[in-house]
Amino acid sequence: MTTTDTTREPTPAEAAVGAPARVIAPFGRPAWKRLLISREMAIVLLLAVVALVAMTAVRGFAQPITLTYLLMDIAPILLIALPMTLVMITGEIDLSVGSMVGLSSVVTGVLVQAGVGFGVAATIALLVGVLGGAVNGFLVTVVGLPSLAVTIGTMALFRGLAVGLLGTAAVTSFPAEWTALAQAKISGTPLPYIMLPFVILLAVFVVLLHFSTFGRGVYAIGLASDAARFSGVRVERTKFLLFVLAGVVSAFAGIFFTLRYGSARGDNATGLELQVIAAVVLGGVSVFGGRGKIYGVVAAALLIGTLSSALRLANVTSDVINIITGVLLVLSVVLASVIDWVQLRRARLAAAKAARVGTKTTPSPTTSSPN
Amino acid sequence: MKFAGKRRIGALIAAAAAVSIALAGCADTGSGSTGSTDAAAEGSGDLSVTFVPKNLGNPYFDASSTGGKAAVEEFGGTFNEVGPAEATPDGQVSYINTLTQQQVGSIVISANDPSAICSALEEAKSSGVKVVTFDSDTDPECRDVFVNQADAEGIAKTQIDLIADQIGGEGQIAILSASANATNQNAWIELMEAYLESDYPDIELVEVVYGDDDDQTSFDKTSSLLQTYPDLKGIVSPTTVGIAAAARYVDTSEYKGQVAITGLGTPNQMREYVESGTVEAFALWNPEDLGYLAAYTAQALIDGTITGAEGDTFEAGKLGEYTVGADGTVLLGDPFVFNKDNISDFDF
């Protein structure tokens, strides 16, 4: 396209060839249009539709307390999904987060039971989160093992430690002011207090991912790790930091979980990692890394929460709820791949056609060189 | 790209529409099934009773819900059962919250954790929902009434009466318990020893062994008991794992017909040994009756017959009159004895 007169409108065939056409301003989609047709926006729209349907069709849904219960239920998912989004954009995964929630819960419980003040116990639990994340990060970045294998291992390890420390017992003697805080609403609103730290963390992660060099590095690692390294991204350091963040946020979620139910147990939050990953994938983060946005993930977590809240209120049984959320997840992943495949195929066909047409009529440098 | 992009919008909108239609369909079906609940709630003073078992798909709780449903149908309320797929406290909390939002008449719940579901239940209570626990209690302040399946005295007495009956009132017996520090087991064993001393002086308790609620360990302990005490006439195992392992050992050994086995077991585990004659009778509570009583307790709370205070009395259909005891507890009664004649009536 370098030779093309920019005042001339390229033919659709030329546009379909791909990259070169996209840089020409009149044919790039405007920002609002890109936003509207993105996968993330589809989830936001779906969330709005589900919420509307639930409010009109499900008895008991359209009341403020619904929002309170819903947010409290998904708060651990919302919190952990933030670092998980970044981890998965780099093409890695952390399956140990649910076990870290359990471990931090048990550490807090055991310390409180031993007479340590709650503040100190919670701080130590957060440090355990840092340590656990660092173990994951070390094994992935320094030893160079695949994160799937490493975190399957630490998932079992953290859960084992949690159950080992407390057995099948539960610690329930937490200071009443703390458990009350975890269940309280910000006065005058239906929002639980856990939304305050969530909003702060949300701001931190949005800036980190979408408005910083660090964030561009995260995407670059997911798209092409080696290319990122050659362009100066500190791949290992970035990944290590992300695993530590996942660990510490999971530990924080564990403390909230413990206070919300007033109970520290080794089996707390079993299976939470899958719910978090489901929200992240549904929210448009590619399992292969390189793409995804935080608002899509937040919308997806809210969608899952709204859906299960509405279905429970409609007396749909828990196994059917699992089936529906599972189908939604599979559909979202399958649809994304099908759309990608169709687009790729169409672009290839168009390119081939353009090449044929191009050689007959107006040969140009762009159309004569296949991708 | 331009055209591909447009198609992509179409595809996404179509997908979103398809999913939302599917969801709307589900939501409608769901609210359709609650239609009867709505009608009853408006008509007859909110006699909607919802059972929340520890988890769904558990035969024990299927039995208690069967009893609960029968009772609710008798007094003309609406029965419902909801619960988590896994027996976790956080799963139960979500369902308690849901029932609070729905403003059901009563929640009848078996707690997965004594305190984790407490504040959710307190919220339910303060919004006017009556809370009955059964099978497994919460802290007393979180519910109105606990329907207890059996008390420790009844459990100890029934098992000793069973073994005494089966060995003719005299001879050596042993106890095969769970773990050495299981609180409920130890309390029962203490009461059993006391009851033996006072009522059966001719029965000698030679040893208490611990199978740790592990099938193989319990099996091995049974074997060594029988070799150590050649004159042993019976084994009492107050744990479902222990009694099944002991029965399995005796069933295939030369002791079959010589040594009596009894204790606390479930019909499904013990069926083949009862049918083969190895085990004459064993005890446990009847979960169907437990659910039935819990539902009637819920009704009594809803219509104000009882408040959960000690001394309150109410009628529980075919089971007769019950009195609320200390700490807002209603006791189903002595354990239920299963034998060849009635075991086929139970599936849990």
Side-chain angles (χ1 to χ4, degrees):
Chain A
M1 278 298 157
T2 44
T3 58
T4 313
D5 176 10
T6 46
T7 58
R8 184 186 71 87
E9 294 208 347
T11 62
E14 283 172 325
V17 174
R22 260 193 287 181
V23 297
I24 295 171
F27 299 97
R29 280 173 262 156
W32 64 269
K33 218 171 181 178
R34 266 180 310 182
L35 187 72
L36 208 65
I37 65 161
S38 67
R39 183 159 167 202
E40 286 80 9
M41 196 45 73
I43 294 294
V44 173
L45 290 175
L46 187 56
L47 170 63
V49 169
V50 169
L52 272 173
V53 170
M55 277 192 267
T56 49
V58 181
R59 194 175 69 99
F61 187 87
Q63 49 180 329
I65 194 77
T66 303
L67 187 62
T68 312
Y69 289 151
L70 195 160
L71 289 175
M72 287 224 264
D73 277 356
I74 62 163
I77 300 177
L78 278 174
L79 287 165
I80 302 172
L82 297 173
M84 184 71 88
T85 302
L86 274 64
V87 167
M88 289 182 70
I89 288 175
T90 65
E92 303 289 346
I93 198 164
D94 187 349
L95 293 170
S96 70
V97 291
S99 299
M100 179 49 78
V101 170
L103 181 57
S104 115
S105 172
V106 167
V107 166
T108 314
V110 166
L111 290 172
V112 167
Q113 200 176 34
V116 178
F118 180 79
V120 179
T123 310
I124 294 173
L126 288 177
L127 290 176
V128 169
V130 171
L131 189 67
V135 169
N136 284 336
F138 176 82
L139 291 173
V140 172
T141 61
V142 180
V143 184
L145 301 170
S147 57
L148 186 72
V150 167
T151 57
I152 281 180
T154 49
M155 171 170 78
L157 173 69
F158 298 159
R159 185 62 72 187
L161 286 172
V163 175
L165 271 172
L166 203 52
T168 50
V171 177
T172 54
S173 52
F174 294 99
E177 62 270 23
W178 283 101
T179 51
L181 184 67
Q183 289 152 8
K185 290 175 268 188
I186 300 169
S187 58
T189 70
L191 301 173
Y193 263 106
I194 186 67
M195 286 297 110
L196 286 181
F198 169 69
V199 167
I200 294 167
L201 278 176
L202 178 66
V204 168
F205 276 97
V206 166
V207 170
L208 207 56
L209 181 61
H210 297 309
F211 299 98
S212 75
T213 331
F214 180 84
R216 282 193 291 280
V218 168
Y219 283 109
I221 293 169
L223 287 169
S225 188
D226 287 337
R229 187 175 287 111
F230 289 133
S231 19
V233 176
R234 295 163 116 158
V235 176
E236 273 71 33
R237 204 177 68 165
T238 303
K239 284 185 182 176
F240 185 85
L241 182 69
L242 291 180
F243 277 107
V244 171
L245 282 172
V248 72
V249 173
S250 302
F252 178 78
I255 296 164
F256 165 73
F257 197 101
T258 309
L259 289 176
R260 181 180 177 209
Y261 299 112
S263 174
R265 297 162 55 101
D267 65 350
N268 267 355
T270 304
L272 183 71
E273 61 281 342
L274 294 182
Q275 292 173 285
V276 171
I277 291 165
V280 172
V281 173
L282 181 61
V285 175
S286 165
V287 281
F288 305 110
R291 85 170 299 280
K293 291 196 172 60
I294 286 194
Y295 82 90
V297 173
V298 172
L302 288 169
L303 175 63
I304 293 173
T306 308
L307 204 53
S308 48
S309 166
L311 292 174
R312 273 201 310 270
L313 274 169
N315 287 346
V316 176
T317 55
S318 49
D319 44 347
V320 176
I321 295 176
N322 286 345
I323 291 170
I324 291 172
T325 39
V327 166
L328 182 66
L329 187 65
V330 172
L331 271 184
S332 76
V333 175
V334 169
L335 273 176
S337 329
V338 168
I339 289 166
D340 285 350
W341 181 79
V342 168
Q343 276 184 327
L344 189 70
R345 199 178 146 76
R346 186 174 294 139
R348 279 201 188 134
L349 286 174
K353 195 176 171 192
R356 279 202 307 278
V357 172
T359 46
K360 274 182 200 161
T361 54
T362 53
S364 81
T366 312
T367 48
S368 58
S369 60
N371 287 340
Chain B
M1 286 310 280
K2 197 176 170 187
F3 298 102
K6 269 192 180 161
R7 292 224 174 84
R8 191 177 179 192
I9 310 179
L12 275 175
I13 291 175
V19 174
S20 50
I21 287 166
L23 295 175
C26 292
D28 284 348
T29 331
S31 51
S33 71
T34 56
S36 54
T37 314
D38 298 353
E42 284 153 24
S44 63
D46 225 349
L47 281 176
S48 54
V49 176
T50 303
F51 271 55
V52 184
K54 283 186 175 172
N55 60 322
L56 293 181
N58 177 332
Y60 177 86
F61 290 109
D62 288 346
S64 61
S65 293
T66 305
K69 190 167 188 236
V72 173
E73 276 165 6
E74 278 174 30
F75 59 71
T78 39
F79 174 87
N80 214 337
E81 184 189 25
V82 299
E86 306 289 331
T88 57
D90 48 309
Q92 281 189 320
V93 166
S94 303
Y95 281 96
I96 298 165
N97 290 342
T98 302
L99 295 170
T100 308
Q101 286 166 270
Q102 289 177 332
Q103 281 295 298
V104 294
S106 175
I107 296 174
V108 179
I109 187 167
S110 172
N112 279 325
D113 183 298
S115 56
I117 62 170
C118 222
S119 61
L121 286 179
E122 276 179 338
E123 261 180 85
K125 262 173 69 181
S126 65
S127 76
V129 176
K130 303 297 177 191
V131 177
V132 176
T133 52
F134 76 105
D135 175 71
S136 167
D137 197 12
T138 59
D139 299 342
E141 68 271 15
C142 318
R143 43 79 174 161
D144 293 299
V145 173
F146 170 49
V147 178
N148 195 353
Q149 50 267 52
D151 61 356
E153 282 82 10
I155 288 170
K157 185 173 172 293
T158 304
Q159 291 180 83
I160 292 302
D161 286 341
L162 280 173
I163 196 79
D165 191 42
Q166 290 168 25
I167 65 172
E170 58 174 351
Q172 293 184 336
I173 62 162
I175 291 176
L176 169 64
S177 179
S179 66
N181 51 11
T183 323
N184 56 351
Q185 299 271 330
N186 289 342
W188 296 337
I189 292 168
E190 233 170 80
L191 289 163
M192 284 195 238
E193 285 169 343
Y195 185 57
L196 276 173
E197 214 163 289
S198 64
D199 285 54
Y200 297 103
D202 296 332
I203 297 179
E204 184 198 355
L205 175 60
V206 291
E207 197 181 343
V208 179
V209 296
Y210 300 94
D212 292 331
D213 261 350
D214 176 75
D215 182 66
Q216 190 59 45
T217 314
S218 305
F219 188 83
D220 296 343
K221 295 279 179 172
T222 309
S223 157
S224 70
L225 267 180
L226 291 167
Q227 275 146 35
T228 317
Y229 304 100
D231 295 331
L232 198 69
K233 292 181 81 177
I235 297 175
V236 178
S237 185
T239 156
T240 56
V241 179
I243 187 175
R248 182 159 53 90
Y249 181 84
V250 171
D251 200 50
T252 53
S253 72
E254 77 261 33
Y255 300 101
K256 182 170 175 168
Q258 311 294 312
V259 176
I261 302 289
T262 194
L264 301 180
T266 67
N268 283 351
Q269 275 180 308
M270 301 304 291
R271 197 177 315 280
E272 59 173 302
Y273 309 117
V274 171
E275 279 163 5
S276 77
T278 304
V279 174
E280 196 176 307
F282 63 96
L284 201 69
W285 35 91
N286 180 339
E288 253 183 75
D289 285 351
L290 189 64
Y292 184 90
L293 176 59
Y296 264 101
T297 311
Q299 184 221 11
L301 283 165
I302 292 168
D303 67 18
T305 313
I306 62 171
T307 60
E310 192 171 351
D312 283 356
T313 59
F314 64 101
E315 281 296 327
K318 63 173 187 190
L319 293 178
E321 194 182 77
Y322 280 84
T323 306
V324 180
D327 275 339
T329 302
V330 172
L331 181 65
L332 175 65
D334 279 339
F336 186 85
V337 175
F338 297 91
N339 56 35
K340 213 167 195 161
D341 299 330
N342 65 20
I343 197 164
S344 58
D345 300 339
F346 297 92
D347 179 22
F348 70 93

